[in-house]
Amino acid sequence: MATTLVRPSHGRWIGGVCAGLARRFGISPNTMRLIFVISCILPGPQFLIYIVLWVLMPSED
């Protein structure tokens, strides 16, 4: 597992939040994206959390 939570500069699609979370927890970025898409079916603030993480997570240099 990585120690820091950052949005990678390579391999990200929209904001890099799913890729950063996947790197942090040691799973595939596509798996994290699939988890996010499936979670969007459930009620909750998924998009709001994504936007907040996009703003708060630092970008990798």
Side-chain angles (χ1 to χ4, degrees), residues 34-58:
L34 181 64
I35 291 169
F36 175 73
V37 168
I38 291 172
S39 76
C40 288
I41 296 170
L42 304 172
Q46 291 86 348
F47 289 111
L48 181 62
I49 291 171
Y50 188 92
I51 292 170
V52 168
L53 286 174
W54 191 353
V55 170
L56 294 179
M57 283 175 62

Side-chain angles (χ1 to χ4, degrees), residues 10-26:
H10 299 292
R12 63 186 192 187
W13 284 6
I14 298 173
V17 174
C18 289
L21 289 171
R23 182 185 291 178
R24 170 67 175 92
F25 294 112

